[in-house]
Amino acid sequence: MQITSLLPDPYIYIMNLKLAFLFKFFICILLMLAAFPVFSLSFNDSLPPKELAARLESAMTDEQALAQLFMLGWVGEDPSPLIMEWIRQRNLGGVKIFGWNTTNTQRLARTVGQLQRASLAGPYNIPLFVATDQEGGWIRHIKGDTSETPGNMAIGASGYPRDAYLSGYYIGKELALLGINMNFAPTVDLFTNRASVLIGPRAFGSDPVMAGIMGAAFAKGQLAAGVIPTAKHYPGHGDTALDSHGILPRIEITYDTLWNRELLPYRMLVNEGLPVVMSGHLSFPMTDGGLTPASLSSWFLRDVLRDRIGFSGVVITDDLMMIGATSYLRSMPLTAKQAIIAGNDIIMFSSTLFLYDQIWTFLADSMKNEEDFRQIVRSSARRILELKLTHLKGPQSIPLIPDPARVEAELPDPEGSAFFLNLAARSVTIVKPLPPVSVFPLTRENAGRVLLAGRFSDFFSYGRAAFPNASTYRFSANTDPQDITAFARNADTVIFCLSDHIDLRVLRSLAQVNRRIIVLSVLSPVHLESVPWVTGAVAVYSYAPESFAAGFSAIIGKIPALGILPYER
């Protein structure tokens, strides 16, 4: 037999080659599709938020869903390469803007735009939560050209819910210009423990009903501006002198007290449709929560907040790098996992984790190996997506990419500036002497020789405007308290600015000086209780320029002081 007889017919041979090539090509296409999935779903699809959130979550990989639960900060004014990698590679859910990111508001607007563009270019075109702490008053992480405001205790002293609404609205309006779509405010902690170094003037006052009314009004103002409000620090940080940044506070109250006092504002806000709650690193050993931080307690977050109070929104932790969180389990990965199991939907970190940090790898491995944990994560991702679809999409939502030119032209908001000045004026409170006794108004004629003593530049600026011939004494934390006495003896009236324990130490040295001592209290007026011998005292509630202007205007009788202390004397 000739060898050529073993060869196939040439036509059949060519057909077999073509079929083999087509088969291999088809297999290659399938492999490519498996490696690079086509994302037909989009955040921009026109479906109801709940339905679209469920579809997006179902289409996500486990790691994409997990990344939606992370909110990270970073160091510097420009986005770090690492935070950009989290967005591009991980489908990061949110970022937190801190004070160290915000020296220049135009630059911040460009930064937010850069972050959002990277997120919108990712799978499903999902935007970031861009969050910050812009409570007003003492806590103002976005500085630059934003408004300085009188703060929550000033709102409580004015007593008008409309002041709370407009504070939330104008603060939110400025944040919206910057592309910041979530604000960790209002603070509805109560002014319960007067020695608190963390809450103080951040509280509306000591009355839980008033805190609930003002908090709900503030939240609605934020929503009207297009910004998502967040009530904090659940279940309440007011009844401790300790700061959860450095320790886990123990608050020794019963559940009945907690339910009827600290939790009352949350019950009121949830009834008004509050979208987000921040869990605090606080323990309540006299309740079923025991010594577990509330932020890691399923009893607090699931049994009480969700089941009993009826909250159906998103829960976010306070910074998990705070000692109040990490000291309990002494392991960041375990703390993060427990936070999610307990009922937090978003876990927040003040710095950027490495891409393969132990926290990430531990949570990702737990999803692979524990179906219950995987379902918890995916449920939280769905809740997060629904919140984004509800508030970050549609004609009423704020622009995701801010315009730096508008920021330069419109910050601070002129209407807001006028409102905050009026709020400062409405909230000025005469603390001492009580009516019918009065030492006010203090005029240039009856004041005699005036000494202005304090630490703030605006105090001296507005003080000299009220009393042009006044002499000044500016001290610091290192000043010998006795140094002021010689200056005081050369004056007839000392007007002293009191804000904290540093100032109080200097003020006490004037107790034996036989002069008229007038105190302008800023921040919390509680320090006035330590100096009952002062002649007169006027309270404002922040060190914003508007507050100093209002305080001196009340001292000289230019405006009436109509504010009422928002706590019991």
Side-chain angles (χ1 to χ4, degrees):
M1 181 183 294
Q2 295 181 355
I3 195 167
T4 53
S5 65
L6 297 176
L7 295 176
D9 180 88
Y11 177 77
I12 296 173
Y13 179 72
I14 290 170
M15 289 298 296
N16 287 340
L17 285 175
K18 286 182 177 180
L19 289 172
F21 173 79
L22 289 172
F23 179 76
K24 290 180 180 179
F25 179 76
F26 179 69
I27 294 298
C28 288
I29 292 295
L30 290 177
L31 291 172
M32 289 175 65
L33 289 174
F36 302 101
V38 177
F39 301 106
S40 57
L41 275 174
S42 169
F43 188 84
N44 300 312
D45 288 350
S46 57
L47 293 170
K50 194 174 192 68
E51 181 182 347
L52 183 52
R55 290 195 183 188
L56 287 168
E57 177 270 315
S58 295
M60 285 179 165
T61 67
D62 281 351
E63 289 200 348
Q64 287 170 342
L66 177 60
Q68 283 295 305
L69 276 64
F70 277 71
M71 178 175 284
L72 304 177
W74 78 94
V75 176
E77 295 191 57
D78 297 319
S80 67
L82 187 54
I83 196 78
M84 296 302 293
E85 288 300 305
W86 267 91
I87 296 170
R88 290 175 179 139
Q89 293 189 31
R90 287 276 165 76
N91 197 32
L92 179 65
V95 295
K96 165 73 187 299
I97 310 292
F98 287 89
W100 53 73
N101 304 124
T102 62
T103 303
N104 181 287
T105 39
Q106 289 79 39
R107 189 171 177 179
L108 177 61
R110 290 190 291 271
T111 289
V112 171
Q114 185 177 346
L115 295 166
Q116 283 289 27
R117 285 188 187 94
S119 186
L120 294 171
Y124 313 111
N125 316 115
I126 300 170
L128 294 160
F129 282 136
V130 182
T132 196
D133 289 287
Q134 198 82 340
E135 301 172 16
W138 189 14
I139 303 301
R140 172 177 165 253
H141 280 194
I142 309 298
K143 297 181 174 62
D145 296 325
T146 61
S147 296
E148 295 187 62
T149 75
N152 283 356
M153 192 166 276
I155 295 169
S158 82
Y160 293 103
R162 182 167 175 77
D163 283 340
Y165 177 89
L166 290 176
S167 291
Y169 174 74
Y170 284 118
I171 289 172
K173 190 177 175 185
E174 292 189 345
L175 295 179
L177 271 176
L178 293 161
I180 296 169
N181 51 48
M182 178 181 282
N183 191 18
F184 296 148
T187 296
V188 292
D189 301 307
L190 303 177
F191 189 68
T192 306
N193 188 310
R194 302 194 181 186
S196 172
V197 297
L198 186 71
I199 303 305
R202 300 168 69 184
F204 291 109
S206 59
D207 180 7
V209 174
M210 182 185 71
I213 292 171
M214 299 303 184
F218 189 103
K220 286 185 180 296
Q222 293 266 276
L223 286 168
V227 174
I228 302 168
T230 304
K232 65 183 184 186
H233 304 81
Y234 175 85
H237 208 310
D239 197 12
T240 176
L242 302 176
D243 183 348
S244 54
H245 287 83
I247 196 171
L248 174 61
R250 293 175 51 150
I251 299 178
E252 304 283 350
I253 58 174
T254 65
Y255 177 69
D256 285 343
T257 299
L258 183 71
W259 178 257
N260 292 301
R261 192 177 70 180
E262 276 78 3
L263 292 180
L264 185 56
Y266 291 96
R267 292 158 56 192
M268 295 171 71
L269 267 74
V270 168
N271 193 53
E272 294 295 320
L274 177 73
V276 184
V277 166
M278 176 181 284
S279 60
H281 310 314
L282 309 151
S283 67
F284 295 81
M286 295 177 67
T287 72
D288 287 349
L291 293 175
T292 305
S295 55
L296 306 181
S297 167
S298 60
W299 182 78
F300 268 113
L301 299 182
R302 297 190 185 277
D303 296 353
V304 177
L305 181 60
R306 293 213 184 273
D307 295 344
R308 184 167 185 190
I309 296 178
F311 180 66
S312 59
V314 165
V315 182
I316 180 171
T317 68
D318 205 344
D319 180 12
L320 282 184
M321 291 181 166
M322 292 164 59
I323 301 300
T326 59
S327 62
Y328 183 68
L329 295 175
R330 301 184 183 278
S331 162
M332 285 295 293
L334 288 176
T335 298
K337 183 176 180 180
Q338 180 56 37
I340 295 169
I341 291 172
N344 293 281
D345 300 297
I346 300 175
I347 50 177
M348 179 172 59
F349 300 89
S350 52
S351 63
T352 313
L353 307 177
F354 291 111
L355 283 175
Y356 292 94
D357 184 275
Q358 285 185 335
I359 297 170
W360 172 264
T361 56
F362 179 67
L363 295 179
D365 288 344
S366 296
M367 287 188 75
K368 292 175 184 176
N369 300 322
E370 302 171 32
E371 182 59 24
D372 287 347
F373 181 70
R374 178 177 176 272
Q375 290 304 321
I376 290 171
V377 169
R378 298 197 73 98
S379 176
S380 288
R382 187 162 57 251
R383 194 177 287 117
I384 290 163
L385 291 167
E386 185 176 348
L387 183 66
K388 288 184 176 182
L389 287 161
T390 301
H391 294 280
L392 307 188
K393 177 182 172 182
Q396 303 302 316
S397 63
I398 67 173
L400 294 172
I401 310 297
D403 181 354
R406 282 193 63 197
V407 170
E408 185 174 9
E410 299 179 31
L411 284 183
D413 183 87
E415 288 184 3
S417 296
F419 163 74
F420 289 125
L421 179 60
N422 287 329
L423 170 58
R426 276 192 296 279
S427 62
V428 179
T429 308
I430 293 178
V431 182
K432 184 183 172 73
L434 296 176
V437 180
S438 179
V439 297
F440 303 108
L442 190 66
T443 66
R444 297 175 188 176
E445 292 73 25
N446 65 25
R449 296 169 297 172
V450 173
L451 172 67
L452 301 170
R455 289 189 290 149
F456 298 103
S457 297
D458 285 330
F459 167 78
F460 292 108
S461 298
Y462 288 99
R464 291 295 293 271
F467 301 96
N469 297 321
S471 56
T472 60
Y473 177 80
R474 188 166 189 162
F475 57 87
S476 69
N478 299 320
T479 299
D480 184 341
Q482 295 302 319
D483 288 352
I484 193 176
T485 56
F487 291 86
R489 290 191 178 98
N490 290 325
D492 300 305
T493 301
V494 178
I495 303 178
F496 190 96
C497 182
L498 174 63
S499 66
D500 58 20
H501 289 92
I502 295 172
D503 300 334
L504 184 61
R505 185 172 62 94
V506 178
L507 177 59
R508 282 174 172 156
S509 67
L510 298 178
Q512 305 306 316
V513 177
N514 187 24
R515 296 293 185 271
R516 181 193 289 128
I517 309 296
I518 304 295
V519 174
L520 177 58
S521 169
V522 298
L523 301 180
S524 171
V526 73
H527 300 294
L528 288 167
E529 297 175 2
S530 301
V531 285
W533 44 265
V534 302
T535 310
V538 170
V540 294
Y541 302 93
S542 81
Y543 37 59
E546 292 84 352
S547 295
F548 284 116
F552 274 105
S553 295
I555 287 172
I556 65 176
K558 191 174 182 179
I559 63 170
L562 301 177
I564 298 173
L565 277 183
Y567 59 87
E568 294 182 3
R569 292 175 184 265

